[in-house]
Amino acid sequence: MACTVFTIANQKGGVGKTTTAVNLAAALAEQKIHTLVVDLDPQANATSALGIEKTEGKSLYGPLRGEGSAFEMLTPTAWPHLALIPSEVDLAAIEIELAQQPNYLMRLRSVLDPLRNSGGYRAIIIDCPPALGMLSMNSLAAADHLLIALQCEYMALEGLGQILKVVDRLKTAGINPTLDVGGIVMTMFDSRTNLSRQVVEEVRQHLSSKLFETVIPRTVRLSEAPSFGKPILSYDPHGPGATAYRALGKEIAARFKLTENGA
């Protein structure tokens, strides 16, 4: 059973990146697709959002330094078919340490390859820090597909161009020649404003093949759910946020054939 690795990266913070990582993973798991979230952000927001306490020594900090393996960091969650590799504040130090290692952009790939080849997971979703630093670049080098969470505001469009250039550089440099922009998720959509509709339309005009049909609405419940340690599918299962992420999960499962081969 093949495993597909997605990274959700954006150098801009506050765009719904972690919200999308956690809730997309929950939506895939709800379809009985064995899914692993890798929290690569030292702030550990994805870890908290899944109700897991931050624990010293429970992150990829050690494995990225050559100490231990990713298997030792696997943590079950309260939801069937959904596991987590947590984060911790010590992971911030790896930004400096990685730069001193040979093949520093390939460290995460080498750490995750045994997991992806184990047959235990159909999808791995990496949540990155809100910057294109060493951790985010490692995630792009390790991923099959980049999913871009894009807030429905014009300033977000500038960041989109920057991350697309980074993808091109990684491909042409041979670091990850098969890296694909798997899709753009429009987040924080406010149906009451013309601006949200205009931003979605502009992205559709230029990158229609990459834009997911599902648009994630701006809702209070989506903002509240992480403080309760639950994905929106559990916190407000019948609300618009949960409905949107379920639809996105089905769209991504279909686009990348995640339900094939007995997932």
Side-chain angles (χ1 to χ4, degrees):
M1 182 174 66
C3 176
T4 303
V5 179
F6 302 94
T7 185
I8 302 182
N10 196 322
Q11 70 273 32
K12 190 175 185 298
V15 298
K17 178 177 55 62
T18 298
T19 298
T20 295
V22 167
N23 291 299
L24 170 59
L28 294 178
E30 193 175 68
Q31 298 175 64
K32 299 183 179 180
I33 297 168
H34 294 289
T35 303
L36 172 66
V37 174
V38 177
D39 191 350
L40 210 61
D41 186 347
Q43 297 179 80
N45 291 330
T47 299
S48 300
L50 286 171
I52 303 299
E53 292 288 331
K54 287 175 272 190
T55 305
E56 186 177 348
K58 201 73 170 176
S59 75
L60 286 184
Y61 176 64
L64 285 170
R65 301 174 75 232
E67 301 168 359
S69 76
F71 286 98
E72 298 168 46
M73 304 303 159
L74 289 172
T75 303
T77 71
W79 295 275
H81 312 293
L82 180 58
L84 169 73
I85 292 181
S87 185
E88 58 173 331
V89 69
D90 283 357
L91 198 58
I94 206 71
E95 290 276 357
I96 299 169
E97 295 178 34
L98 277 177
Q100 301 167 0
Q101 296 185 21
N103 298 319
Y104 58 87
L105 288 179
M106 305 302 290
R107 289 298 302 153
L108 182 64
R109 177 183 281 270
S110 66
V111 165
L112 291 182
D113 270 352
L115 268 176
R116 74 178 294 172
N117 295 329
S118 70
Y121 300 100
R122 189 67 182 86
I124 295 176
I125 298 175
I126 307 170
D127 183 40
C128 296
L132 290 177
M134 200 63 68
L135 288 169
S136 293
M137 295 297 282
N138 261 262
S139 80
L140 290 167
D144 299 307
H145 305 286
L146 165 65
L147 302 180
I148 302 172
L150 194 67
Q151 189 177 359
C152 291
E153 62 173 39
Y154 274 115
M155 291 297 289
L157 293 175
E158 295 181 11
L160 176 61
Q162 292 172 16
I163 197 165
L164 292 176
K165 287 179 183 176
V166 170
V167 170
D168 285 339
R169 289 192 194 116
L170 287 173
K171 293 174 73 170
T172 56
I175 294 166
N176 189 354
T178 61
L179 178 62
D180 170 57
V181 178
I184 299 169
V185 183
M186 302 304 299
T187 63
M188 302 182 187
F189 180 83
D190 189 340
S191 61
R192 300 168 299 177
T193 68
N194 288 328
L195 177 60
S196 282
R197 289 191 290 271
Q198 289 167 0
V199 173
V200 171
E201 188 54 38
E202 186 159 338
V203 176
R204 184 172 285 120
Q205 286 177 9
H206 293 93
L207 293 160
S208 60
S209 65
K210 297 297 183 183
L211 186 64
F212 290 110
E213 288 294 324
T214 305
V215 174
I216 308 301
R218 183 188 293 275
T219 76
V220 173
R221 294 290 197 180
L222 272 173
S223 301
E224 291 175 347
S227 63
F228 290 87
K230 294 180 178 181
I232 192 65
L233 277 68
S234 297
Y235 180 66
D236 184 28
H238 305 296
T243 299
Y245 275 110
R246 280 195 182 95
L248 179 64
K250 289 177 180 175
E251 194 173 348
I252 286 176
R255 179 177 293 192
F256 300 104
K257 301 178 173 59
L258 300 181
T259 55
E260 294 184 1
N261 301 321

